[in-house]
Amino acid sequence: MSKYAELCAYGRRGATLKSIAALLGWDQETYMPRGGGDARAEQMALMAGMMHERGTSHELGDLISACEDEKLNDQQAACVREFRRDYDKRTKLPQSLVEELARTGSKAQDAWKDSRKDNDFNAFAPWLTKMVDLSRQKAQAYGFPEGGELYDALLDEYEPNATAKEVESVFTPLGKKLSALVKELSDSGDAPGEGPITIHAPEDRQHALGLHVLKAIGFDLNAGRLDITTHPFCEGLAPGDTRLTTRYDERYFPGALYGTMHEAGHGIYEQGLLKGGTHEGPGGDKIESFGTPLADDISLGIHESQSRMWENMVGRSRPFWNWIYQEARDHFADLGKFDEEEIYRAVNIVRPSYIRVEADEGTYNLHVMLRFGIERAMVAGDLSINDLPGAWNDRFKELFGLDVPDDKNGCLQDVHWSFGLFGYFPTYTLGNLYAAQFWQTINKELPGLEDDFAKGDFGRLKAWLNENIHAHGRRFSAGELCERVTGRPLESQPLMDYLSGKLRAVYRL
Ligand code: ZN
């Protein structure tokens, strides 16, 4: 067996361990009884420790070094390059810190659930303090290039090679243009009515509609499932097993419909990665790709570009409603009082609101910018945890013009910080930027795509994404993939053009 084949086999066993840990996490979110919390924290810490030990072993280091001396084609070389990147990052972290992050994160997550439910920030504050402290230790262990900051080391885990300064330089002008657009829409005298989206929509009917849409857009339910959680997510567990979750509000069906399409976008990416496939080794042998970077996602920004595209460019488009209207009416009797155009306009209402995951396309990125600024300050040590609610509420007022009524609708709403996911939020807006730029290219390359949607046919779009985005795994960096696919580096103009073109039309401006 070549060293390359040995390296891939080593990666495959690591990926199997990771899938077991992910299953424990999925179970904790969905079906685990409350009493299982402490035992689960120990299980998670043990798994994290085992994965870290394997992922930082001399055996793995030696295999990577040996492959770096082998004669490899571009694809194999990219695979080894990414194994090296992960290895170098992991070996910087002490095992004790990895286990402590997993153990404390698991408990902090349960604490967050309670404090969010009880609207009690003080109960969560000590846990958040611990998670910030552990994350700062992690960032220090990773280190960052000169001229950078601690936050960069954390951001790099989710969006390789991105820095806080670069993110800020894209976010600041985008934020100004978005605020101006939101104001223009708010001042228009022709806002869509919200009648269609506040009808009564029974939970079981919403679930049935969600499954119908999943099947149509190409999420393979033989290799996936849909469950209910407080905070919707997608877990690409293993080859043939991708789990989605959603939540239902009987007075606001778009929450679950678009939440499901969003997670399905992530799921279609996971299913499109070549986890069940093989690639050619240096000796011409067939090597299973699962567990190698060739069957892994590039970055959270690219992941999010897939979810946002299905949720917004597809799901919130006019032709989508041409197609789904009759089916939706069959499920929700009250929807029959409205026509397709009224529903299309209602699902595109732009209005400043408190909850990020339910925010419209116009204001969504402002929510992300708020979190980016705040977590960057927490990680830098410029914002103490006790001052978090105040800082959040002040900034929220500046961006949205609203007073936050309570922490449940403010700084306690997101799960991320309880897990220690600092540096994660910016990837949501990066995802919107990538999605809009890909979307421009897709519509040039696939004329008449929207006519397909009106007929419920999403096959050409899915095939294009499979071929141009998913199949490469981590062969290219996010920036390289963007240039390769669209011919341009990532820019903010496609997103602004898309949002302003669509939303101004919805508001008849
Ligand atoms: Zn997402």
Side-chain angles (χ1 to χ4, degrees), residues 3 21 56 68 77 92-93 119 139 177 219 222 228 238 240 260 293 306 317 334 348 360 363 408 422 429 438 444 491:
K3 288 289 173 194
T56 54
E68 286 165 342
K92 287 181 179 161
L93 294 188
N119 192 31
K177 286 184 206 161
F219 178 77
N222 291 317
I228 301 172
T260 301
Q306 302 303 292
S317 71
D334 293 350
N348 283 295
D360 56 77
T363 57
K408 215 162 49 175
F422 298 93
T429 288
F438 291 151
K444 270 184 217 138
E491 293 164 341

Side-chain angles (χ1 to χ4, degrees), residues 199 347 369:
I199 55 158
V347 298
M369 290 168 194

Side-chain angles (χ1 to χ4, degrees), residues 353-354 370 389-390 392-397 400-413:
S353 63
Y354 300 109
L370 163 86
W392 180 289
N393 298 350
D394 289 349
R395 184 78 180 119
F396 197 87
K397 178 93 183 179
F400 297 88
L402 296 175
D403 292 307
V404 178
D406 51 37
D407 294 331
K408 215 162 49 175
N409 284 289
C411 65
L412 278 180
Q413 67 182 272

Side-chain angles (χ1 to χ4, degrees), residues 14 68 79 83 112 130 149 185 205 208 213 237 266 295 308 333 403 454 460 496 502 509:
E68 286 165 342
C79 179
F83 265 119
W112 166 75
K130 278 183 204 165
E149 55 191 81
L185 300 175
R205 301 285 85 207
V213 171
L237 272 179
H266 286 303
R308 296 294 279 180
D403 292 307
R460 279 203 298 156
M496 272 319 297
K502 170 171 150 180
L509 285 167

Side-chain angles (χ1 to χ4, degrees), residues 262-263 266 303-304 307-308 364 424 428:
H262 177 99
E263 299 311 331
H266 286 303
H303 226 306
E304 192 70 5
S307 56
R308 296 294 279 180
Y364 186 87
Y424 191 112
Y428 290 126

Side-chain angles (χ1 to χ4, degrees), residues 182 186 191-194 349-354 359-360 363 367 400 507:
V182 170
S186 308
E194 60 175 21
I349 290 175
V350 173
R351 182 184 303 147
S353 63
Y354 300 109
D360 56 77
T363 57
H367 286 272
F400 297 88
Y507 278 71

Side-chain angles (χ1 to χ4, degrees), residues 64-79:
I64 295 171
S65 298
C67 288
E68 286 165 342
D69 295 333
E70 277 189 19
K71 203 170 144 32
L72 303 173
N73 68 21
D74 288 353
Q75 187 185 41
Q76 295 150 3
C79 179

